[in-house]
Amino acid sequence: IAGITQAPTSQILAAGRRMTLRCTQDMRHNAMYWYRQDLGLGLRLIHYSNTAGTTGKGEVPDGYSVSRANTDDFPLTLASAVPSQTSVYFCASSDSGLDGGELFFGEGSRLTVL
Amino acid sequence: EDQVTQSPEALRLQEGESSSLNCSYTVSGLRGLFWYRQDPGKGPEFLFTLYSAGEEKEKERLKATLTKKESFLHITAPKPEDSATYLCAVQGYTRDGNNRLAFGKGNQVVVIP
């Protein structure tokens, strides 16, 4: 079934450790996104990528980095995790046509930083 | 900055009791307004896109409408399986053409049998 695959689904991490959340899509969408979802704050955009080789900052980029080496993969890295990065992380993708379009989401990665 | 406000935050309905969810927004040029459904522990699932004031879309017991300042999601004769969090999001015009969405905090709906 076509869609977005995220890994891991859940992770507990010690503060200060490095962590990479993986995201792969098989829909050949040009654009990809990382959001975090926190109770009472909703979904907030961390980083996005319009096409392979390009990335952009969203609303809450500090402490996170991304790369887009190819169309299908968009990993999110926390270089040195802090407790405030405890959240549920969602990867999404969309066509990047000028008419806009819906985003398709993965099932999420729940990260706890202690 | 694009902003989306949803109300009420939480809603409990008896099965069959129709109601409406509100999404008010400010955006510098609206490309689209989106409604998603999210079940606990799952990712958001796309429901509707509305592009211009006056537009309406329906899917089963759900109907979405749009004005220049807000959108409504009407739930007609809800069933327990309609229990979910409903997310509203706007897509504005950006310099790089990206389709990123700005989300509201959601309307948590519980339908009681």
Side-chain angles (χ1 to χ4, degrees), chain A residues 73-87:
Chain A
D73 301 301
F74 191 43
L76 177 73
T77 297
L78 289 67
S80 180
V82 295
S84 61
Q85 293 178 311
T86 293
S87 187

Side-chain angles (χ1 to χ4, degrees), chain B residues 41-95:
Chain B
K42 301 289 187 181
E45 177 185 340
F46 171 74
L47 290 173
F48 304 109
T49 310
L50 301 168
Y51 294 103
S52 58
E55 189 175 0
E56 299 182 351
K57 288 195 176 172
E58 287 188 69
K59 181 179 180 180
E60 295 181 358
R61 295 174 293 282
L62 301 177
K63 179 180 176 180
T65 62
L66 181 66
T67 72
K68 287 186 178 180
K69 292 184 178 181
E70 58 191 352
S71 176
F72 292 93
L73 185 65
H74 307 280
I75 310 177
T76 302
K79 297 182 178 181
E81 53 262 42
D82 295 322
S83 298
T85 296
Y86 293 88
L87 303 174
C88 176
V90 293
Q91 189 175 72
Y93 286 94
T94 59
R95 277 181 290 181

Side-chain angles (χ1 to χ4, degrees), chain A residues 31 33 35 37 40-43 45 48-50 90 94-103 105-107, chain B residues 1 31 34 36 38 41-46 49 51 87 91 93 96-105:
Chain A
Y33 312 79
Y35 283 85
Q37 188 173 38
L41 295 176
L43 280 159
L45 182 65
Y48 66 93
S49 169
N50 284 340
F90 288 99
S94 73
D95 283 335
S96 59
L98 295 176
D99 291 334
E102 64 265 31
L103 271 59
F105 285 84
E107 292 298 292
Chain B
E1 184 178 323
R31 291 173 78 182
F34 297 75
Y36 284 81
Q38 187 175 24
K42 301 289 187 181
E45 177 185 340
F46 171 74
T49 310
Y51 294 103
L87 303 174
Q91 189 175 72
Y93 286 94
D96 62 4
N98 185 263
N99 291 340
R100 56 189 177 270
L101 298 176
F103 282 87
K105 296 178 182 179

Side-chain angles (χ1 to χ4, degrees), chain A residues 10 17 26 40 47 56 71-72 87 90 94 96-97 113:
Chain A
S10 181
R17 297 295 296 268
D26 61 3
H47 285 287
T71 297
D72 299 340
S87 187
F90 288 99
S94 73
S96 59
V113 182

